[in-house]
Structures are given as C-alpha cells and as structure tokens.
Amino acid sequence: MAIPTKRSNPAAISVIPALMCSTHRNFGRAKSISSAASKCNAVKAVPLILQAIGHIAFVLTGTTDSQAVASILSDFFGQEDNRISYQNALAMEEEGELVGVAIFYDGAKARELDAPLERAAAKKSGDSNYCIPTEPEASEFYLDTLSVSPRCQGKGYGSKLIEAGCDWARKLGHHRMALLVEVDHAAAKRLYERLGFCTDYTKRIAGQEYFHMVRSL
C-alpha cells in the first residue's frame, strides 16, 4: 500500500523544478530516479498524479469532468513554468517503465506557478474570480505530489523519490522541505516522521484538514 499525504486516495503515495538533462541515480537493478521528467512522460505521469491528488485535480482544473481533468493536466505537464510541469518532476523508472513521479517546487514561486492553471480554470469554470489555494510557505522547498504505481508499492520508491528531492533542494540552496498530509492518515504521518519530518501546524485546503510537516535539510 502506498502512503497518502496531502490529497490522496488509499492507493496512492501523495505528497514534483528539475534540470533538463539525462542524468540518472541508480537504486538497484533496472531501477532509477531520473533527475528530470520529460514532456513525453505525460501519458504515464498524469494517471499517477491523478491517483494521488484526488479531488484536488478538480480544484486545479475548474471542472469535475474526469476526461477534461486528465486532458488539462496532461497539457500542463508538457508545458513549462507551471505547478505540474515536467520541469518540476522527478520520475522513478523500473525496467524502462515510469512507475513513480514526484513534484517539487520552491514555495516562494507558488503563486507564479499556480497562475497558468488558475487562468485556465477560471475560463473552464466561467468564474473570473477563480482562485487556487496556495499550499506552501515561501521559505520552503515543497513536496507537492508523490505517487507510485500500485504494483510497485512497498518497494521504498516513495522514500527514494523524497530523498532525491531533498538532495535537489540542498543543491538549490534550500534549508527546509515541507509537505501536507491529511490529518486522518496516521500511517502516512508516521512514515514521514521516520523520514525526518515533524508537524508544526494544521492547514485547511479545499475543505480538507492537513498537517503541515517540515524537515530541515
């Protein structure tokens, strides 16, 4: 079973700016974490993102139509300079197949990265005042979404993606990683505590209560 954090369903690890290069960090036979996802990952990455974020996908897109949601997120994943862009993604591969994805970004750029999605959602919903809630604090490198394929859960891939994200954050000069985890997911909270995260407060987003958890880097 995967570990849900912020927005999730029970089958997902939910908690992905990556460099445009082909460097990989190996974690055993036929397994790797890519230093960057690519535009062509959208077809397989978006279903993983959707299994993790649940109803937040509706908030990001301004629609509850599942096909429209998938199409919109796929388009944005393939574009640059937005919250779910491939630029912000780390990808876990097993035998050449994408089996995990994580989205990280600088909290200070959250509003800037949300803006393209917000404009599209406003148009889609017909609400000119549409607003996507800001999740991270400006002082943190934020673990936005983490998801591992159900068939690959229990192999430690989620933890490895998190550690790779922490390494990335340090290289960018950040001193703190943060994430949100739903308050009713005690198992997820315990996992993140084992990985060095601690809770500092609770936050309400889109009608759901979350623990804000941080880790010093």
Side-chain angles (χ1 to χ4, degrees), residues 54-120:
H55 74 283
I56 294 294
F58 304 147
V59 178
L60 296 179
T61 59
T63 179
T64 57
D65 181 279
S66 59
Q67 290 186 333
V69 167
S71 177
I72 291 168
L73 294 185
S74 183
D75 286 345
F76 274 106
F77 186 88
Q79 297 175 29
E80 299 180 356
D81 302 323
N82 71 84
R83 173 175 173 164
I84 65 163
S85 170
Y86 69 93
Q87 293 175 305
N88 302 331
L90 297 180
M92 171 67 76
E93 297 179 351
E94 183 180 80
E95 298 180 351
E97 180 181 353
L98 183 69
V99 296
V101 66
I103 299 177
F104 300 88
Y105 53 84
D106 184 347
K109 297 180 178 179
R111 287 305 305 155
E112 175 186 339
L113 293 172
D114 276 345
L117 284 156
E118 195 169 82
R119 288 192 294 268

Side-chain angles (χ1 to χ4, degrees), residues 12-207:
I13 298 178
S14 163
V15 186
I16 232 177
L19 303 175
M20 287 304 295
C21 64
S22 58
T23 303
H24 287 71
R25 297 183 55 193
N26 293 323
F27 291 91
R29 181 175 178 270
K31 307 178 184 71
S32 65
I33 290 182
S34 173
S35 64
S38 67
K39 295 180 181 181
C40 62
N41 288 140
V43 171
K44 292 186 177 180
V46 169
L48 288 173
I49 293 170
L50 286 171
Q51 80 168 3
I53 68 176
H55 74 283
I56 294 294
F58 304 147
V59 178
L60 296 179
T61 59
T63 179
T64 57
D65 181 279
S66 59
Q67 290 186 333
V69 167
S71 177
I72 291 168
L73 294 185
S74 183
D75 286 345
F76 274 106
F77 186 88
Q79 297 175 29
E80 299 180 356
D81 302 323
N82 71 84
R83 173 175 173 164
I84 65 163
S85 170
Y86 69 93
Q87 293 175 305
N88 302 331
L90 297 180
M92 171 67 76
E93 297 179 351
E94 183 180 80
E95 298 180 351
E97 180 181 353
L98 183 69
V99 296
V101 66
I103 299 177
F104 300 88
Y105 53 84
D106 184 347
K109 297 180 178 179
R111 287 305 305 155
E112 175 186 339
L113 293 172
D114 276 345
L117 284 156
E118 195 169 82
R119 288 192 294 268
K123 183 176 181 180
K124 187 70 175 179
S125 66
D127 180 359
S128 61
N129 296 315
Y130 198 94
C131 181
I132 294 175
T134 301
E135 297 177 10
E137 295 181 6
S139 61
E140 61 199 28
F141 198 63
Y142 186 58
L143 174 51
D144 178 279
T145 300
L146 174 64
S147 185
V148 173
S149 172
R151 71 174 182 81
C152 292
Q153 292 168 8
K155 296 183 178 183
Y157 290 176
S159 296
K160 290 172 181 175
L161 281 164
I162 291 172
E163 294 301 336
C166 288
D167 288 345
W168 179 20
R170 292 186 192 97
K171 291 177 182 177
L172 293 176
H174 292 276
H175 302 288
R176 189 168 85 153
M177 175 77 75
L179 57 86
L180 296 177
V181 57
E182 293 177 1
V183 296
D184 57 352
H185 285 299
K189 185 171 181 288
R190 287 194 298 271
L191 169 68
Y192 291 110
E193 287 171 342
R194 290 197 297 272
L195 291 173
F197 290 86
C198 60
T199 302
D200 58 354
Y201 60 82
T202 60
K203 185 171 186 174
R204 192 170 185 83
I205 297 176

